Amino acid sequence: APSIRLSPAARSLFDEPLAIAVQGLGPRQRVTLRTSLRDETGELFQASAHYQAGDDGELDLARCPALPGGSFSGLEPMGLLWALQPQKPFWRLIKRDVQSPFLLQLEVLEGHGERPGRLLAQAQHERAFLRDGVRRVPVREGRIRATLFLPP
């Protein structure tokens, strides 16, 4: 059965690279990968890309280019993250509470086209803004308003 392999596996910092691969596909199988997340207001952001697995049934986004027809095309290992677009026009992905992560959903769907086929595999990944152990200290001094982030 197909499965999604992420590195780092369950959690990464928002500005760190995320390696995405799919294993267990058929030789040269055509699939659509879709990512989605909801911002703090509940607004949905999505991106998708069309791929074709290698002869061995493996699909590594660092080596396999996205085919035309999705949110982007070409060799873009992080394309499924930077191409996230809101469902609501002119909405922006903004993080107000950096102490909670974004929860990224990844799906592998059969085939290409406007309406991809059945769900083959799915995974979740947290994109955090603070490394574990970092302390957030609000600063209020006169008219100065700031936030100090202290390492462990």
PDB file of all heavy atoms in Angstrom, residues 68-99:
ATOM      1  N   PRO A  68       2.788  19.639 -15.444  1.00  0.00           N
ATOM      2  CA  PRO A  68       1.870  20.782 -15.585  1.00  0.00           C
ATOM      3  C   PRO A  68       0.445  20.405 -15.183  1.00  0.00           C
ATOM      4  O   PRO A  68       0.030  19.267 -15.322  1.00  0.00           O
ATOM      5  CB  PRO A  68       1.942  21.114 -17.077  1.00  0.00           C
ATOM      6  CG  PRO A  68       3.258  20.559 -17.537  1.00  0.00           C
ATOM      7  CD  PRO A  68       3.487  19.339 -16.696  1.00  0.00           C
ATOM      8  N   GLY A  69      -0.277  21.411 -14.666  1.00  0.00           N
ATOM      9  CA  GLY A  69      -1.687  21.197 -14.347  1.00  0.00           C
ATOM     10  C   GLY A  69      -2.046  21.389 -12.887  1.00  0.00           C
ATOM     11  O   GLY A  69      -3.210  21.475 -12.550  1.00  0.00           O
ATOM     12  N   GLY A  70      -1.067  21.490 -12.016  1.00  0.00           N
ATOM     13  CA  GLY A  70      -1.355  21.695 -10.603  1.00  0.00           C
ATOM     14  C   GLY A  70      -1.088  23.132 -10.196  1.00  0.00           C
ATOM     15  O   GLY A  70      -1.125  24.046 -11.015  1.00  0.00           O
ATOM     16  N   SER A  71      -0.791  23.336  -8.918  1.00  0.00           N
ATOM     17  CA  SER A  71      -0.500  24.677  -8.404  1.00  0.00           C
ATOM     18  C   SER A  71       0.854  25.189  -8.888  1.00  0.00           C
ATOM     19  O   SER A  71       1.123  26.388  -8.840  1.00  0.00           O
ATOM     20  CB  SER A  71      -0.511  24.659  -6.877  1.00  0.00           C
ATOM     21  OG  SER A  71      -1.753  24.224  -6.387  1.00  0.00           O
ATOM     22  N   PHE A  72       1.720  24.280  -9.339  1.00  0.00           N
ATOM     23  CA  PHE A  72       3.054  24.628  -9.828  1.00  0.00           C
ATOM     24  C   PHE A  72       3.543  23.463 -10.676  1.00  0.00           C
ATOM     25  O   PHE A  72       2.929  22.390 -10.690  1.00  0.00           O
ATOM     26  CB  PHE A  72       4.034  24.891  -8.664  1.00  0.00           C
ATOM     27  CG  PHE A  72       4.204  23.698  -7.761  1.00  0.00           C
ATOM     28  CD1 PHE A  72       5.233  22.791  -7.975  1.00  0.00           C
ATOM     29  CD2 PHE A  72       3.326  23.480  -6.719  1.00  0.00           C
ATOM     30  CE1 PHE A  72       5.375  21.680  -7.156  1.00  0.00           C
ATOM     31  CE2 PHE A  72       3.468  22.373  -5.892  1.00  0.00           C
ATOM     32  CZ  PHE A  72       4.495  21.469  -6.114  1.00  0.00           C
ATOM     33  N   SER A  73       4.651  23.648 -11.381  1.00  0.00           N
ATOM     34  CA  SER A  73       5.257  22.548 -12.125  1.00  0.00           C
ATOM     35  C   SER A  73       6.769  22.680 -12.043  1.00  0.00           C
ATOM     36  O   SER A  73       7.287  23.738 -11.685  1.00  0.00           O
ATOM     37  CB  SER A  73       4.784  22.546 -13.585  1.00  0.00           C
ATOM     38  OG  SER A  73       5.164  23.732 -14.225  1.00  0.00           O
ATOM     39  N   GLY A  74       7.460  21.595 -12.341  1.00  0.00           N
ATOM     40  CA  GLY A  74       8.914  21.581 -12.287  1.00  0.00           C
ATOM     41  C   GLY A  74       9.416  20.989 -10.987  1.00  0.00           C
ATOM     42  O   GLY A  74       8.646  20.530 -10.143  1.00  0.00           O
ATOM     43  N   LEU A  75      10.730  20.992 -10.838  1.00  0.00           N
ATOM     44  CA  LEU A  75      11.367  20.412  -9.656  1.00  0.00           C
ATOM     45  C   LEU A  75      11.290  21.412  -8.503  1.00  0.00           C
ATOM     46  O   LEU A  75      12.070  22.366  -8.444  1.00  0.00           O
ATOM     47  CB  LEU A  75      12.819  20.042  -9.962  1.00  0.00           C
ATOM     48  CG  LEU A  75      13.541  19.243  -8.881  1.00  0.00           C
ATOM     49  CD1 LEU A  75      12.827  17.916  -8.617  1.00  0.00           C
ATOM     50  CD2 LEU A  75      14.977  18.984  -9.282  1.00  0.00           C
ATOM     51  N   GLU A  76      10.350  21.220  -7.614  1.00  0.00           N
ATOM     52  CA  GLU A  76      10.095  22.118  -6.483  1.00  0.00           C
ATOM     53  C   GLU A  76       9.849  21.264  -5.245  1.00  0.00           C
ATOM     54  O   GLU A  76       8.694  20.968  -4.905  1.00  0.00           O
ATOM     55  CB  GLU A  76       8.875  23.006  -6.749  1.00  0.00           C
ATOM     56  CG  GLU A  76       9.019  23.947  -7.910  1.00  0.00           C
ATOM     57  CD  GLU A  76       9.923  25.127  -7.601  1.00  0.00           C
ATOM     58  OE1 GLU A  76      10.302  25.316  -6.423  1.00  0.00           O
ATOM     59  OE2 GLU A  76      10.252  25.868  -8.538  1.00  0.00           O
ATOM     60  N   PRO A  77      10.899  20.837  -4.536  1.00  0.00           N
ATOM     61  CA  PRO A  77      10.724  19.963  -3.376  1.00  0.00           C
ATOM     62  C   PRO A  77       9.787  20.527  -2.303  1.00  0.00           C
ATOM     63  O   PRO A  77       9.109  19.780  -1.619  1.00  0.00           O
ATOM     64  CB  PRO A  77      12.139  19.798  -2.821  1.00  0.00           C
ATOM     65  CG  PRO A  77      13.047  20.120  -3.956  1.00  0.00           C
ATOM     66  CD  PRO A  77      12.313  21.112  -4.810  1.00  0.00           C
ATOM     67  N   MET A  78       9.724  21.863  -2.169  1.00  0.00           N
ATOM     68  CA  MET A  78       8.861  22.483  -1.163  1.00  0.00           C
ATOM     69  C   MET A  78       7.641  23.162  -1.797  1.00  0.00           C
ATOM     70  O   MET A  78       6.935  23.932  -1.145  1.00  0.00           O
ATOM     71  CB  MET A  78       9.662  23.518  -0.361  1.00  0.00           C
ATOM     72  CG  MET A  78      10.801  22.937   0.455  1.00  0.00           C
ATOM     73  SD  MET A  78      10.228  22.160   1.954  1.00  0.00           S
ATOM     74  CE  MET A  78       9.691  23.586   2.873  1.00  0.00           C
ATOM     75  N   GLY A  79       7.375  22.872  -3.056  1.00  0.00           N
ATOM     76  CA  GLY A  79       6.278  23.518  -3.769  1.00  0.00           C
ATOM     77  C   GLY A  79       4.922  23.344  -3.104  1.00  0.00           C
ATOM     78  O   GLY A  79       4.103  24.255  -3.114  1.00  0.00           O
ATOM     79  N   LEU A  80       4.675  22.171  -2.524  1.00  0.00           N
ATOM     80  CA  LEU A  80       3.383  21.934  -1.891  1.00  0.00           C
ATOM     81  C   LEU A  80       3.174  22.791  -0.649  1.00  0.00           C
ATOM     82  O   LEU A  80       2.053  22.920  -0.161  1.00  0.00           O
ATOM     83  CB  LEU A  80       3.236  20.453  -1.522  1.00  0.00           C
ATOM     84  CG  LEU A  80       3.006  19.523  -2.715  1.00  0.00           C
ATOM     85  CD1 LEU A  80       3.166  18.063  -2.298  1.00  0.00           C
ATOM     86  CD2 LEU A  80       1.651  19.765  -3.348  1.00  0.00           C
ATOM     87  N   LEU A  81       4.251  23.420  -0.161  1.00  0.00           N
ATOM     88  CA  LEU A  81       4.127  24.327   0.986  1.00  0.00           C
ATOM     89  C   LEU A  81       4.060  25.781   0.527  1.00  0.00           C
ATOM     90  O   LEU A  81       3.185  26.530   0.945  1.00  0.00           O
ATOM     91  CB  LEU A  81       5.282  24.112   1.961  1.00  0.00           C
ATOM     92  CG  LEU A  81       5.375  22.696   2.543  1.00  0.00           C
ATOM     93  CD1 LEU A  81       6.573  22.572   3.452  1.00  0.00           C
ATOM     94  CD2 LEU A  81       4.114  22.332   3.275  1.00  0.00           C
ATOM     95  N   TRP A  82       4.973  26.211  -0.340  1.00  0.00           N
ATOM     96  CA  TRP A  82       4.960  27.625  -0.738  1.00  0.00           C
ATOM     97  C   TRP A  82       3.796  27.967  -1.656  1.00  0.00           C
ATOM     98  O   TRP A  82       3.418  29.123  -1.791  1.00  0.00           O
ATOM     99  CB  TRP A  82       6.294  28.101  -1.316  1.00  0.00           C
ATOM    100  CG  TRP A  82       6.772  27.484  -2.594  1.00  0.00           C
ATOM    101  CD1 TRP A  82       7.831  26.632  -2.735  1.00  0.00           C
ATOM    102  CD2 TRP A  82       6.273  27.686  -3.919  1.00  0.00           C
ATOM    103  NE1 TRP A  82       7.999  26.276  -4.051  1.00  0.00           N
ATOM    104  CE2 TRP A  82       7.042  26.917  -4.803  1.00  0.00           C
ATOM    105  CE3 TRP A  82       5.228  28.438  -4.446  1.00  0.00           C
ATOM    106  CZ2 TRP A  82       6.824  26.868  -6.163  1.00  0.00           C
ATOM    107  CZ3 TRP A  82       5.002  28.394  -5.814  1.00  0.00           C
ATOM    108  CH2 TRP A  82       5.795  27.624  -6.655  1.00  0.00           C
ATOM    109  N   ALA A  83       3.189  26.963  -2.305  1.00  0.00           N
ATOM    110  CA  ALA A  83       2.095  27.224  -3.235  1.00  0.00           C
ATOM    111  C   ALA A  83       0.718  27.213  -2.571  1.00  0.00           C
ATOM    112  O   ALA A  83      -0.292  27.368  -3.263  1.00  0.00           O
ATOM    113  CB  ALA A  83       2.132  26.201  -4.370  1.00  0.00           C
ATOM    114  N   LEU A  84       0.646  27.046  -1.262  1.00  0.00           N
ATOM    115  CA  LEU A  84      -0.653  27.042  -0.574  1.00  0.00           C
ATOM    116  C   LEU A  84      -1.419  28.337  -0.866  1.00  0.00           C
ATOM    117  O   LEU A  84      -0.877  29.427  -0.697  1.00  0.00           O
ATOM    118  CB  LEU A  84      -0.461  26.892   0.935  1.00  0.00           C
ATOM    119  CG  LEU A  84      -0.071  25.498   1.426  1.00  0.00           C
ATOM    120  CD1 LEU A  84       0.463  25.562   2.850  1.00  0.00           C
ATOM    121  CD2 LEU A  84      -1.252  24.540   1.331  1.00  0.00           C
ATOM    122  N   GLN A  85      -2.642  28.200  -1.307  1.00  0.00           N
ATOM    123  CA  GLN A  85      -3.488  29.346  -1.653  1.00  0.00           C
ATOM    124  C   GLN A  85      -4.788  29.292  -0.864  1.00  0.00           C
ATOM    125  O   GLN A  85      -5.335  28.217  -0.646  1.00  0.00           O
ATOM    126  CB  GLN A  85      -3.821  29.344  -3.152  1.00  0.00           C
ATOM    127  CG  GLN A  85      -2.639  29.636  -4.037  1.00  0.00           C
ATOM    128  CD  GLN A  85      -2.140  31.057  -3.861  1.00  0.00           C
ATOM    129  OE1 GLN A  85      -2.918  32.005  -3.833  1.00  0.00           O
ATOM    130  NE2 GLN A  85      -0.835  31.212  -3.728  1.00  0.00           N
ATOM    131  N   PRO A  86      -5.316  30.459  -0.473  1.00  0.00           N
ATOM    132  CA  PRO A  86      -6.567  30.477   0.288  1.00  0.00           C
ATOM    133  C   PRO A  86      -7.768  30.191  -0.609  1.00  0.00           C
ATOM    134  O   PRO A  86      -7.741  30.477  -1.797  1.00  0.00           O
ATOM    135  CB  PRO A  86      -6.626  31.899   0.834  1.00  0.00           C
ATOM    136  CG  PRO A  86      -5.887  32.714  -0.181  1.00  0.00           C
ATOM    137  CD  PRO A  86      -4.788  31.806  -0.689  1.00  0.00           C
ATOM    138  N   GLN A  87      -8.816  29.621  -0.014  1.00  0.00           N
ATOM    139  CA  GLN A  87     -10.069  29.434  -0.740  1.00  0.00           C
ATOM    140  C   GLN A  87     -10.789  30.777  -0.882  1.00  0.00           C
ATOM    141  O   GLN A  87     -11.494  31.002  -1.842  1.00  0.00           O
ATOM    142  CB  GLN A  87     -10.963  28.438   0.002  1.00  0.00           C
ATOM    143  CG  GLN A  87     -10.347  27.052   0.138  1.00  0.00           C
ATOM    144  CD  GLN A  87     -10.081  26.400  -1.195  1.00  0.00           C
ATOM    145  OE1 GLN A  87      -8.965  26.413  -1.677  1.00  0.00           O
ATOM    146  NE2 GLN A  87     -11.088  25.859  -1.806  1.00  0.00           N
ATOM    147  N   LYS A  88     -10.606  31.658   0.102  1.00  0.00           N
ATOM    148  CA  LYS A  88     -11.228  32.985   0.087  1.00  0.00           C
ATOM    149  C   LYS A  88     -10.282  33.952  -0.639  1.00  0.00           C
ATOM    150  O   LYS A  88      -9.112  34.057  -0.278  1.00  0.00           O
ATOM    151  CB  LYS A  88     -11.451  33.446   1.526  1.00  0.00           C
ATOM    152  CG  LYS A  88     -12.213  34.750   1.651  1.00  0.00           C
ATOM    153  CD  LYS A  88     -12.308  35.198   3.092  1.00  0.00           C
ATOM    154  CE  LYS A  88     -13.281  34.348   3.872  1.00  0.00           C
ATOM    155  NZ  LYS A  88     -13.482  34.836   5.241  1.00  0.00           N
ATOM    156  N   PRO A  89     -10.755  34.673  -1.654  1.00  0.00           N
ATOM    157  CA  PRO A  89      -9.875  35.590  -2.401  1.00  0.00           C
ATOM    158  C   PRO A  89      -9.238  36.657  -1.501  1.00  0.00           C
ATOM    159  O   PRO A  89      -9.867  37.147  -0.571  1.00  0.00           O
ATOM    160  CB  PRO A  89     -10.821  36.248  -3.409  1.00  0.00           C
ATOM    161  CG  PRO A  89     -12.010  35.352  -3.491  1.00  0.00           C
ATOM    162  CD  PRO A  89     -12.121  34.663  -2.171  1.00  0.00           C
ATOM    163  N   PHE A  90      -7.991  36.968  -1.794  1.00  0.00           N
ATOM    164  CA  PHE A  90      -7.218  38.036  -1.145  1.00  0.00           C
ATOM    165  C   PHE A  90      -6.906  37.754   0.324  1.00  0.00           C
ATOM    166  O   PHE A  90      -6.511  38.648   1.057  1.00  0.00           O
ATOM    167  CB  PHE A  90      -7.916  39.404  -1.287  1.00  0.00           C
ATOM    168  CG  PHE A  90      -8.289  39.720  -2.696  1.00  0.00           C
ATOM    169  CD1 PHE A  90      -9.614  39.751  -3.086  1.00  0.00           C
ATOM    170  CD2 PHE A  90      -7.311  39.953  -3.652  1.00  0.00           C
ATOM    171  CE1 PHE A  90      -9.962  40.028  -4.409  1.00  0.00           C
ATOM    172  CE2 PHE A  90      -7.653  40.229  -4.961  1.00  0.00           C
ATOM    173  CZ  PHE A  90      -8.980  40.263  -5.339  1.00  0.00           C
ATOM    174  N   TRP A  91      -7.098  36.535   0.799  1.00  0.00           N
ATOM    175  CA  TRP A  91      -6.778  36.171   2.178  1.00  0.00           C
ATOM    176  C   TRP A  91      -5.289  35.858   2.255  1.00  0.00           C
ATOM    177  O   TRP A  91      -4.689  35.395   1.306  1.00  0.00           O
ATOM    178  CB  TRP A  91      -7.610  34.946   2.576  1.00  0.00           C
ATOM    179  CG  TRP A  91      -7.788  34.779   4.042  1.00  0.00           C
ATOM    180  CD1 TRP A  91      -7.128  33.883   4.828  1.00  0.00           C
ATOM    181  CD2 TRP A  91      -8.664  35.484   4.915  1.00  0.00           C
ATOM    182  NE1 TRP A  91      -7.554  33.983   6.129  1.00  0.00           N
ATOM    183  CE2 TRP A  91      -8.498  34.970   6.207  1.00  0.00           C
ATOM    184  CE3 TRP A  91      -9.574  36.513   4.719  1.00  0.00           C
ATOM    185  CZ2 TRP A  91      -9.206  35.442   7.298  1.00  0.00           C
ATOM    186  CZ3 TRP A  91     -10.286  36.981   5.800  1.00  0.00           C
ATOM    187  CH2 TRP A  91     -10.090  36.437   7.080  1.00  0.00           C
ATOM    188  N   ARG A  92      -4.675  36.124   3.399  1.00  0.00           N
ATOM    189  CA  ARG A  92      -3.245  35.854   3.587  1.00  0.00           C
ATOM    190  C   ARG A  92      -3.045  34.884   4.742  1.00  0.00           C
ATOM    191  O   ARG A  92      -3.785  34.910   5.714  1.00  0.00           O
ATOM    192  CB  ARG A  92      -2.500  37.148   3.891  1.00  0.00           C
ATOM    193  CG  ARG A  92      -2.547  38.130   2.761  1.00  0.00           C
ATOM    194  CD  ARG A  92      -1.192  38.781   2.591  1.00  0.00           C
ATOM    195  NE  ARG A  92      -1.206  39.815   1.589  1.00  0.00           N
ATOM    196  CZ  ARG A  92      -0.940  39.602   0.315  1.00  0.00           C
ATOM    197  NH1 ARG A  92      -0.668  38.410  -0.104  1.00  0.00           N
ATOM    198  NH2 ARG A  92      -0.951  40.599  -0.543  1.00  0.00           N
ATOM    199  N   LEU A  93      -2.012  34.060   4.622  1.00  0.00           N
ATOM    200  CA  LEU A  93      -1.659  33.128   5.686  1.00  0.00           C
ATOM    201  C   LEU A  93      -0.813  33.875   6.717  1.00  0.00           C
ATOM    202  O   LEU A  93       0.349  34.194   6.462  1.00  0.00           O
ATOM    203  CB  LEU A  93      -0.881  31.934   5.119  1.00  0.00           C
ATOM    204  CG  LEU A  93      -0.539  30.834   6.100  1.00  0.00           C
ATOM    205  CD1 LEU A  93      -1.792  30.226   6.718  1.00  0.00           C
ATOM    206  CD2 LEU A  93       0.265  29.742   5.415  1.00  0.00           C
ATOM    207  N   ILE A  94      -1.425  34.187   7.851  1.00  0.00           N
ATOM    208  CA  ILE A  94      -0.752  34.945   8.905  1.00  0.00           C
ATOM    209  C   ILE A  94      -0.835  34.140  10.192  1.00  0.00           C
ATOM    210  O   ILE A  94      -1.887  33.605  10.527  1.00  0.00           O
ATOM    211  CB  ILE A  94      -1.423  36.326   9.090  1.00  0.00           C
ATOM    212  CG1 ILE A  94      -1.274  37.156   7.810  1.00  0.00           C
ATOM    213  CG2 ILE A  94      -0.833  37.057  10.285  1.00  0.00           C
ATOM    214  CD1 ILE A  94      -2.051  38.450   7.822  1.00  0.00           C
ATOM    215  N   LYS A  95       0.258  34.088  10.917  1.00  0.00           N
ATOM    216  CA  LYS A  95       0.304  33.382  12.203  1.00  0.00           C
ATOM    217  C   LYS A  95       0.377  34.405  13.307  1.00  0.00           C
ATOM    218  O   LYS A  95       1.321  35.167  13.403  1.00  0.00           O
ATOM    219  CB  LYS A  95       1.527  32.445  12.229  1.00  0.00           C
ATOM    220  CG  LYS A  95       1.564  31.541  13.417  1.00  0.00           C
ATOM    221  CD  LYS A  95       0.447  30.543  13.328  1.00  0.00           C
ATOM    222  CE  LYS A  95       0.601  29.461  14.366  1.00  0.00           C
ATOM    223  NZ  LYS A  95      -0.656  29.011  14.894  1.00  0.00           N
ATOM    224  N   ARG A  96      -0.645  34.426  14.164  1.00  0.00           N
ATOM    225  CA  ARG A  96      -0.684  35.376  15.279  1.00  0.00           C
ATOM    226  C   ARG A  96      -0.147  34.761  16.567  1.00  0.00           C
ATOM    227  O   ARG A  96       0.545  35.415  17.318  1.00  0.00           O
ATOM    228  CB  ARG A  96      -2.102  35.885  15.479  1.00  0.00           C
ATOM    229  CG  ARG A  96      -2.623  36.618  14.253  1.00  0.00           C
ATOM    230  CD  ARG A  96      -3.838  37.453  14.557  1.00  0.00           C
ATOM    231  NE  ARG A  96      -4.489  37.943  13.346  1.00  0.00           N
ATOM    232  CZ  ARG A  96      -4.038  38.926  12.600  1.00  0.00           C
ATOM    233  NH1 ARG A  96      -2.930  39.532  12.892  1.00  0.00           N
ATOM    234  NH2 ARG A  96      -4.692  39.297  11.513  1.00  0.00           N
ATOM    235  N   ASP A  97      -0.476  33.503  16.817  1.00  0.00           N
ATOM    236  CA  ASP A  97      -0.014  32.816  18.025  1.00  0.00           C
ATOM    237  C   ASP A  97       1.114  31.856  17.653  1.00  0.00           C
ATOM    238  O   ASP A  97       0.867  30.728  17.232  1.00  0.00           O
ATOM    239  CB  ASP A  97      -1.167  32.044  18.679  1.00  0.00           C
ATOM    240  CG  ASP A  97      -0.738  31.274  19.912  1.00  0.00           C
ATOM    241  OD1 ASP A  97       0.389  31.492  20.402  1.00  0.00           O
ATOM    242  OD2 ASP A  97      -1.529  30.446  20.400  1.00  0.00           O
ATOM    243  N   VAL A  98       2.354  32.312  17.802  1.00  0.00           N
ATOM    244  CA  VAL A  98       3.500  31.494  17.387  1.00  0.00           C
ATOM    245  C   VAL A  98       3.756  30.319  18.334  1.00  0.00           C
ATOM    246  O   VAL A  98       4.619  29.488  18.064  1.00  0.00           O
ATOM    247  CB  VAL A  98       4.789  32.340  17.251  1.00  0.00           C
ATOM    248  CG1 VAL A  98       4.636  33.350  16.142  1.00  0.00           C
ATOM    249  CG2 VAL A  98       5.166  32.985  18.566  1.00  0.00           C
ATOM    250  N   GLN A  99       3.006  30.237  19.413  1.00  0.00           N
ATOM    251  CA  GLN A  99       3.212  29.130  20.360  1.00  0.00           C
ATOM    252  C   GLN A  99       2.483  27.856  19.926  1.00  0.00           C
ATOM    253  O   GLN A  99       2.750  26.785  20.456  1.00  0.00           O
ATOM    254  CB  GLN A  99       2.782  29.557  21.761  1.00  0.00           C
ATOM    255  CG  GLN A  99       3.650  30.694  22.282  1.00  0.00           C
ATOM    256  CD  GLN A  99       3.237  31.142  23.657  1.00  0.00           C
ATOM    257  OE1 GLN A  99       3.782  30.672  24.652  1.00  0.00           O
ATOM    258  NE2 GLN A  99       2.259  32.027  23.716  1.00  0.00           N
TER     259      GLN A  99
END
